């Protein structure tokens, strides 16, 4: 078939891509068995809890549940069913199916395996995409850098749907490219399905409409409007998300409060906004100085006729996401994952430009040394920045969680005050509440039975003084808050002081 022409590469190329996939997979197995208590563990715990509850309570993909009984909307809307409508749970479905049908690994390990597989396959897909527009050398550079960028290594093994979203976004652009190149209806359907999955996983994939429509219009121009498959593409791409959004909007209690993500504190376009996104994230953390320099060289290099405006429009689409979700991108460094594929393409273009400048032999040697130094700097500095992300931030929550899981009743409702961070609650393998302080009396009235604390704050001391202590050691304290002496009524009068 004519369409398989895009797969015609040398055996050496396929061998290199296979090695990239294998080593990318292996390196992401680092800390494979570690508990969910590392960087961004709060979001990972919520995601892993959905999979675990599919196993504990039944497979209900339209009604995913996590472990916390307190509201996702900062306490304003009760969430007694523990609904968790953050994204369509495709990631959890795959993790669940792996655990159910193959077993062997734990739920956490299956979650990591799903992420590692898609994160390791993304550079291979990225190669085939870039090879359609740029040289195969640039495509290989991009695949290699994507696979082994330290930022990508850590976030390529987390229990989050974002790496899978990045995979489908790159695959969608490849499928749209092949549709435009070979004009096959079945390819347009594949393009629509992959784009729909990207949007379902992360709605901000909608910004990719810019490069997607560019590729379509670049090929057919105004004739696009006379193509039935164009309208089918639109329907398949966007309708699934609209249906999912209509479904979850019936349950606001199961959705995060998101208004703050846009521009809380009016941070957009301030000095702090640019400092965080450009200097701290792009320069220091993600592309780690060396890659950041190559990134700008790749941008000023310009584009070939075959590349057109694709790379620039893709980058602009990501920056549009940064502008719209201004506070979210400043707050969370994992929000910048969609930048990496297009970022490494420009890095690859910059690297290729430096080593291919046609000057004297000694100048070319200098250029190669400079290019190699920038790449080495990118990997070395990047690893220096990311290495601490693997650390367990608070081992006490692991020890306390294991004790609860081994000694307290399986149906016990627990209070695990941890600044509304679900990672502590997840370790207990129980349902409950992730905040404490003045809210504890209400949780007790709602049926909470045990206060599990790794922080001897004022509230914990109060309940220890009035209720039965189950266990206490330097790492954690467990109090039976149902065995007290009128403490709920007495404590209600002291709320203003807690």
């Amino acid at each position: 078939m004519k369409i398989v022409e895009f797969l015609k590469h040398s055996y050496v190329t396929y061998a290199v891509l296979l090695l990239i996939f294998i080593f990318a997979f292996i390196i992401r197995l680092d800390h494979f068995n570690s508990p969910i208590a590392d960087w961004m563990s709060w979001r990972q715990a919520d995601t892993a809890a959905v999979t675990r509850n599919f196993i504990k309570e039944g497979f209900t993909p339209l009604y995913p549940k996590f472990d916390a009984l307190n509201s996702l909307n900062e306490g304003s809307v009760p969430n007694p069913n523990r609904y968790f409508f953050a994204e369509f749970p495709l990631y959890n479905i795959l993790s669940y199916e792996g655990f159910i049908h193959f077993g062997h690994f734990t739920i956490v390990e299956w979650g990591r395996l799903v992420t590692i597989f898609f994160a390791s396959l993304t550079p291979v897909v990225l190669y085939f995409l870039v090879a359609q527009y740029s040289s195969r050398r640039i495509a290989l550079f991009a695949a290699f850098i994507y696979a082994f960028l330290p930022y990508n290594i850590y976030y390529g093994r987390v229990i989050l749907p974002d790496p899978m979203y990045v995979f489908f976004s790159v695959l969608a652009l490849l499928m749209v490219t092949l549709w435009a190149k070979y004009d096959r209806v079945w390819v347009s359907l594949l393009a629509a399905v992959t784009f729909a999955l990207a949007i379902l996983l992360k709605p901000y994939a909608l910004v990719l409409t810019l490069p997607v429509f560019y590729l379509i219009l670049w090929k057919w121009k105004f004739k696009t409007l006379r193509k039935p498959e164009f309208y089918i593409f639109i329907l398949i791409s966007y309708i699934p998300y609209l249906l999912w959004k209509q479904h979850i909007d019936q349950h606001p209690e199961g959705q995060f409060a998101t208004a703050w993500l846009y521009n809380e504190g009016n941070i957009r376009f301030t000095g702090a906004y640019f400092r965080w996104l450009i200097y701290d994230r792009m320069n220091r953390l993600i592309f780690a100085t060396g890659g950041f320099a190559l990134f700008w060289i790749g941008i000023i290099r310009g584009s070939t006729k075959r590349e057109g405006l694709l790379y620039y429009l893709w980058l602009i689409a990501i920056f549009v996401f940064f502008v719209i979700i201004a506070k979210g991108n400043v707050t969370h460094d994992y929000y910048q994952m969609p930048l990496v594929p297009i970022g490494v393409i420009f890095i690859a273009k910059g690297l290729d430009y430096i080593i291919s400048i046609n000057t004297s032999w000694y100048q070319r040697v200098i250029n190669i040394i400079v290019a190699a130094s920038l790449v080495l700097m990118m990997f070395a500095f990047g690893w220096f920045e990311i290495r601490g992300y693997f650390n367990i931030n608070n081992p006490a929550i692991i020890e306390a969680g294991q004790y609860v899981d081994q000694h307290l009743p399986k149906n016990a409702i627990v209070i695990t005050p941890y600044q509304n961070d679900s990672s502590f609650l997840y370790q207990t393998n129980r349902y409950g509440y992730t905040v404490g302080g003045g809210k504890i009396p209400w949780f007790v009235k709602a049926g909470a039975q045990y206060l599990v604390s790794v922080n001897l704050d004022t509230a914990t001391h109060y309940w220890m003084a009035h209720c039965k202590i189950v266990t206490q050691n330097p790492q954690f304290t467990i109090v039976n808050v149902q065995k007290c002496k009128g403490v709920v009524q007495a404590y209600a009068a002291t709320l203003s002081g807690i």
Side-chain angles (χ1 to χ4, degrees), residues 202-219:
K202 288 293 172 180
Y204 52 68
L206 289 167
V207 298
L208 294 179
T209 298
L210 180 61
V212 165
F213 275 40
Y214 166 76
L215 290 175
I216 296 172
L217 294 172
W218 190 21
K219 170 67 177 181

Side-chain angles (χ1 to χ4, degrees), residues 255-298:
Q255 300 181 56
F256 284 111
T258 57
W260 70 273
L261 292 171
Y262 295 96
N263 194 30
E264 186 181 69
N266 293 317
I267 197 170
R268 185 181 296 126
F269 299 142
T270 63
Y273 173 80
F274 291 111
R275 186 263 179 196
W276 274 106
L277 289 181
I278 297 176
Y279 172 77
D280 188 79
R281 299 289 170 69
M282 293 179 66
N283 172 62
R284 180 188 63 83
L285 179 63
I286 302 174
F287 302 138
T289 304
F292 195 52
L294 290 169
F295 170 80
W296 287 110
I297 294 173

Side-chain angles (χ1 to χ4, degrees), residues 172-241:
L173 288 172
L174 175 60
M175 290 296 103
V176 172
T177 295
L178 298 180
W179 173 30
K181 185 173 184 178
Y182 298 105
D183 198 9
R184 295 290 188 270
V185 174
W186 66 272
V187 181
S188 71
L189 295 177
L190 284 177
V193 169
T194 53
F195 193 26
L197 289 174
I199 297 171
L200 280 170
L201 283 165
K202 288 293 172 180
Y204 52 68
L206 289 167
V207 298
L208 294 179
T209 298
L210 180 61
V212 165
F213 275 40
Y214 166 76
L215 290 175
I216 296 172
L217 294 172
W218 190 21
K219 170 67 177 181
W220 292 293
K221 299 180 175 58
F222 290 109
K223 293 180 181 178
T224 302
L225 300 177
R226 297 201 297 266
K227 293 182 70 65
E229 53 266 45
F230 173 67
Y231 300 100
I232 295 173
F233 174 84
I234 292 176
L235 291 175
I236 295 177
S237 296
Y238 300 108
I239 292 298
Y241 170 69

Side-chain angles (χ1 to χ4, degrees), residues 145-408:
I145 294 169
Y146 185 93
F148 302 109
L149 193 69
Y151 172 89
N152 254 13
I153 290 175
Y154 178 78
Y155 279 117
R157 36 80 66 197
V158 292
I159 303 176
L160 293 173
D162 301 71
M164 184 186 294
Y165 151 71
V166 174
F167 168 81
F168 279 112
S169 66
V170 176
L171 183 59
L173 288 172
L174 175 60
M175 290 296 103
V176 172
T177 295
L178 298 180
W179 173 30
K181 185 173 184 178
Y182 298 105
D183 198 9
R184 295 290 188 270
V185 174
W186 66 272
V187 181
S188 71
L189 295 177
L190 284 177
V193 169
T194 53
F195 193 26
L197 289 174
I199 297 171
L200 280 170
L201 283 165
K202 288 293 172 180
Y204 52 68
L206 289 167
V207 298
L208 294 179
T209 298
L210 180 61
V212 165
F213 275 40
Y214 166 76
L215 290 175
I216 296 172
L217 294 172
W218 190 21
K219 170 67 177 181
W220 292 293
K221 299 180 175 58
F222 290 109
K223 293 180 181 178
T224 302
L225 300 177
R226 297 201 297 266
K227 293 182 70 65
E229 53 266 45
F230 173 67
Y231 300 100
I232 295 173
F233 174 84
I234 292 176
L235 291 175
I236 295 177
S237 296
Y238 300 108
I239 292 298
Y241 170 69
L242 294 176
L243 292 174
W244 175 249
K245 186 69 167 63
Q246 182 183 40
H247 168 63
I248 66 176
D249 280 349
Q250 299 175 39
H251 302 281
E253 73 277 13
Q255 300 181 56
F256 284 111
T258 57
W260 70 273
L261 292 171
Y262 295 96
N263 194 30
E264 186 181 69
N266 293 317
I267 197 170
R268 185 181 296 126
F269 299 142
T270 63
Y273 173 80
F274 291 111
R275 186 263 179 196
W276 274 106
L277 289 181
I278 297 176
Y279 172 77
D280 188 79
R281 299 289 170 69
M282 293 179 66
N283 172 62
R284 180 188 63 83
L285 179 63
I286 302 174
F287 302 138
T289 304
F292 195 52
L294 290 169
F295 170 80
W296 287 110
I297 294 173
I299 287 179
I300 63 176
R301 180 184 182 178
S303 61
T304 64
K305 183 178 180 180
R306 194 158 57 128
E307 293 169 350
L309 296 175
L310 172 63
Y311 297 155
Y312 290 108
L313 291 177
W314 186 356
L315 184 63
I316 289 171
I318 301 304
F319 285 157
V320 168
F321 162 58
F322 287 178
V323 170
I324 296 173
I325 312 296
K327 183 63 175 182
N329 274 285
V330 168
T331 304
H332 300 312
D333 59 28
Y334 74 92
Y335 273 38
Q336 288 88 66
M337 274 191 258
L339 169 68
V340 179
I342 182 57
V344 300
I345 291 174
F346 280 112
I347 290 173
K349 283 170 63 67
L351 179 62
D352 179 77
Y353 177 71
I354 291 177
I355 65 178
S356 61
I357 295 175
N358 188 18
T359 57
S360 60
W361 68 268
Y362 62 85
Q363 186 62 57
R364 295 197 66 178
V365 170
I366 293 174
N367 291 347
I368 291 173
I369 293 174
V370 169
S373 299
L374 290 172
V375 171
L376 180 62
M377 190 185 303
M378 173 175 60
F379 288 131
F381 289 176
W383 180 251
F384 180 84
E385 295 294 338
I386 213 75
R387 59 182 179 173
Y389 280 27
F390 294 90
N391 296 339
I392 302 301
N393 298 315
N394 189 352
I397 68 172
I398 309 299
E399 186 176 344
Q402 291 173 345
Y403 183 94
V404 169
D405 199 24
Q406 294 169 7
H407 295 90
L408 298 189

Side-chain angles (χ1 to χ4, degrees), residues 422-486:
S422 300
S423 56
F424 184 13
L425 179 63
Y426 182 84
Q427 309 305 324
T428 67
N429 195 21
R430 301 292 187 274
Y431 305 139
Y433 304 90
T434 58
V435 293
K439 296 181 180 293
I440 294 178
W442 281 270
F443 298 155
V444 175
K445 290 179 180 179
Q449 298 156 300
Y450 298 93
L451 170 64
V452 187
S453 178
V454 294
N455 178 25
L456 293 179
D457 56 9
T458 304
T460 301
H461 277 296
Y462 187 94
W463 290 89
M464 289 172 61
H466 292 83
C467 306
K468 180 181 178 180
I469 297 176
V470 176
T471 187
Q472 183 180 11
N473 59 52
Q475 283 69 46
F476 62 90
T477 300
I478 300 178
V479 179
N480 188 328
V481 291
Q482 290 294 339
K483 294 186 177 181
C484 309
K485 299 178 180 179

